[in-house]
Structure formats: structure tokens, C-alpha cells
């Protein structure tokens, strides 16, 4: 006598369980929470997902999230085009902007290199990064990938690509806890790491 | 220069952050995960929420999740109507059914008493439980609320209501780890707890 959830509930649990950091038990808990909410409250989440997917796109230039061709930072004429900050994800930009230490532009890789999962340079926005350097007059790149294995591998790869082109390449300074994620750093630590960035390669 | 998320992204993060067990950082992580998915994949979750809310309701009799007036268990004529198992949530029924120890019907309270959060007997389906006893010929109630403070308070309250009515009231036996949640118990432990249920009050 195996009891199973009714199909719409099981589908909901399955879909929730696909989200990062949500295990089967959490998915079940969230599903039943949604079922107990009013239709209005539960459908607000469904609407928010549809709305975000419909309205949000990636910036044509830097792959930050955007609602137009360019993200607000790329569209801001006051940002210095000669210095680029390379990050893994859009959310890292929010963290760096909060420090107030950086006045240049960004480039979002949309991930980090991870050979075990088949994510190499071609799966990231690295070709697009290289093609920005000349037209935008970039002479410095600050690599702000996460201070973990994937982030370090990506940083090393980028440094090897960029230094032969005469670009000054730097990496966020120590101050970030090793093995952690950039987005969890507090503003002071991240700001200090930005000030003390160290040159890589060349 | 405070950087903020673009409004549809912020709305999505806010809505995700309302879910149980999802903090602000998890909400942000999940939101950006959804943005990177294809529209089809992301909208599957939105559809699953809408579909579940549209098709799933609560059983008229026991408040289990159902797709018709009655849930599959209440609609099953072979279930013994004289013994009721009272649980906090529908998901607890799944756990108990998996043990194969119980052939009666259920009653879902849709929560547990929690005076600090203003949840008293009137916020739970207790009046509905009492009104089932006569018409269905119930003579035994097994209280399967969670073995934590709220669950114990609810069990005590129910025992005080039920024993004067000549109902045999029992509570799940020891075997469940104290302070834990019923839904996380393994089948063997939960089955043994069911077999060794102890009488409460009267």
C-alpha cells in the first residue's frame, strides 16, 4: 500500500526539487506550504517567475541582467570603460557595487570553468569578453571570480589569455575566505579585497 | 551608489524569500538560477504552482489534499471508520501510509497549537474533528501530532476534549526522536511507534 501524492502535488514537488539547494523534503514542505496559501498568494510566486522570465534578459554587452539591450551600468556614460571587472554571475555585481570601490564596467561569465561538469571556456562568455577589449579601449581587467577551485581555475585561464594582449590583469586580494562564495562576503571585506587587488601573470 | 536588482528580479527574490526555509541569499541564488534556465524550464515551475492551486483542494471530510470532494482514503470503502488518526499536515499521512500499520481514516488539523503565534484550537480543524465522531461511529483516536512542543500541546488538548466523550485516545509510542518532525522518521521507527501507541488520559 504505497501512498503517493496526487499528481499535481507530485509535479509541484518535483519542480521545486530541481531548484538549487532544495532537497526532496524541503520541496515537499514548500509544496504543502503553497497549497495552504490563498490562491492569490501562491500565484504571486508563479506570476513573479513568468514576469521575470518575460521581462528580464541579459545585457548585450556584459551579460548582466537587464530589461533593455544594455544593463543600467553599461548604459551609464560615467562608468570608466578602460577597466573591466569580470564576475561569474550577475549577483556578484550587486555585491561589488555595494562596496562603492569600483567605477569601471563589468563582464559576467555566466558561470565558472568546471571540467568535471563539462564547463570549459566555450561554455562561458569568454570569447565575448576578449572581443570587448579593443573596441572599448580596455587596459585593465580585475578578475573577481569566486575564491574556490572553479573560480581560481577560471582566473588562471583568463590571466593566460589576457596578459599577452598587454592588459593589466589583477585578481581580488586576500581577505575573502578561501572555499567560500563571493556573494556571501561582507561589504568591508570585499571592499578591502578590491583595494588590495594583486596583479596576476605579465 | 546602492545597487539594486531590476524590479522583476527583486519581486521574484521577494516572493521566493517568503517560502519556508528560504532565506534572502537562497532566494537570490534560486532567482538567478531561474533566470539562466530556458523559458520553458522556468515556466514549468510557474505552471506547476498554478496547476496545483487550481486542481488541488482539501478533502471535505478529513482535510487531506484531494482532487475531488473526498480524498482517496476517505473515498476508500475498505478503510475502518471507527478509528481515526489525527495528524498536523497532509504530508504526515504519506509517511504513515508507508508503514502499512494503519487501516483507519485520517483527520488533518492543518497545523498545531502555538500560542506564541496565535494559533489556538479555533485556527485548527478541531471543531470539524469533533463533529465527525458521532456520524462516523469513531471509537478510537490515535493522535499523531509531531513529537515537539506544539504537537504535544495539541495532543494534550485533544485528549482532554476526546476522553470525556468515551473515545479511546492514544498517542504514538516512543521511538520517534524528541524535538524532531514526524515526516523525517524512517518507516521502521514510525511503524514501531504505531504498534506501541500508548493510551492517553481516561
Amino acid at each position: 500500500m504505497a501512498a503517493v501524492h496526487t499528481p499535481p502535488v507530485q509535479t509541484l514537488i518535483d519542480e521545486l526539487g530541481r531548484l538549487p539547494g532544495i532537497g526532496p523534503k524541503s520541496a515537499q514542505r514548500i509544496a504543502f506550504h503553497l497549497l495552504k496559501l490563498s490562491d492569490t498568494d501562491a500565484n504571486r510566486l508563479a506570476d513573479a517567475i513568468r514576469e521575470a522570465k518575460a521581462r528580464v534578459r541579459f545585457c548585450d554587452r556584459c551579460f548582466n541582467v537587464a530589461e533593455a539591450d544594455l544593463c543600467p551600468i553599461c548604459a551609464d556614460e560615467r562608468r570608466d570603460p578602460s577597466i573591466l571587472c569580470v564576475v561569474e554571475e550577475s549577483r556578484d555585481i550587486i555585491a561589488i557595487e555595494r562596496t562603492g570601490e569600483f567605477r569601471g564596467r563589468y563582464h559576467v561569465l555566466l558561470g565558472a570553468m568546471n571540467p568535471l561538469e563539462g564547463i570549459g571556456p566555450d561554455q562561458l562568455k569568454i570569447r565575448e569578453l576578449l572581443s570587448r577589449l579593443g573596441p572599448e579601449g580596455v587596459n585593465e581587467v580585475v578578475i573577481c571570480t569566486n575564491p574556490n577551485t572553479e573560480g581560481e581555475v577560471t582566473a588562471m585561464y583568463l590571466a593566460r589569455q589576457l596578459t599577452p594582449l598587454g592588459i593589466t590583469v589583477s585578481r581580488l586580494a586576500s581577505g575573502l575566505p578561501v572555499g567560500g562564495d563571493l556573494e556571501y562576503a561582507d561589504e568591508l571585506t570585499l571592499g578591502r579585497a578590491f583595494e588590495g587587488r594583486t596583479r596576476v601573470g605579465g
Side-chain angles (χ1 to χ4, degrees), chain A:
Chain A
M1 188 180 55
V4 288
H5 295 289
T6 161
V9 176
Q10 192 59 53
T11 304
L12 179 56
I13 293 172
D14 292 346
E15 289 298 331
L16 289 166
R18 278 186 233 281
L19 299 176
I22 307 286
K25 285 289 177 190
S26 300
Q28 184 171 299
R29 186 169 281 256
I30 293 170
F32 281 102
H33 169 83
L34 288 169
L35 289 173
K36 281 169 72 178
L37 289 181
S38 71
D39 282 7
T40 317
D41 285 346
N43 288 337
R44 266 216 314 274
L45 173 58
D47 292 342
I49 296 168
R50 287 202 161 273
E51 179 80 0
K53 290 304 289 182
R55 285 179 53 192
V56 178
R57 38 169 301 174
F58 293 109
C59 174
D60 283 349
R61 188 190 276 162
C62 78
F63 301 96
N64 186 10
V65 292
E67 287 189 78
D69 290 348
L70 291 182
C71 74
I73 293 170
C74 281
D76 183 348
E77 293 291 335
R78 292 163 303 177
R79 306 291 297 219
D80 181 356
S82 71
I83 174 166
L84 269 193
C85 176
V86 177
V87 294
E88 294 181 19
E89 304 285 353
S90 288
R91 57 178 182 254
D92 300 328
I93 294 181
I94 305 279
I96 293 168
E97 286 292 286
R98 248 189 256 120
T99 70
E101 292 282 338
F102 183 68
R103 295 297 302 146
R105 290 180 182 163
Y106 292 92
H107 189 85
V108 183
L109 298 174
L110 293 179
M113 285 168 64
N114 188 338
L116 292 177
E117 294 188 9
I119 303 175
D122 294 342
Q123 278 71 49
L124 305 174
K125 300 296 180 188
I126 291 178
R127 202 173 51 241
E128 291 81 353
L129 167 64
L130 298 176
S131 73
R132 289 179 65 179
L133 304 176
E136 296 181 41
V138 175
N139 53 42
E140 183 175 355
V141 168
V142 187
I143 304 176
C144 296
T145 51
N146 282 321
N148 55 24
T149 314
E150 294 80 14
E152 293 295 345
V153 168
T154 310
M156 302 270 276
Y157 178 86
L158 288 176
R160 276 202 306 273
Q161 302 288 312
L162 295 168
T163 46
L165 306 174
I167 306 277
T168 303
V169 180
S170 55
R171 178 94 177 93
L172 282 184
S174 67
L176 296 180
V178 172
D181 275 3
L182 197 145
E183 60 170 322
Y184 295 113
D186 65 273
E187 293 155 43
L188 199 65
T189 308
L190 191 54
R192 200 159 295 162
F194 222 93
E195 281 175 322
R197 62 188 183 267
T198 54
R199 191 158 170 170
V200 182

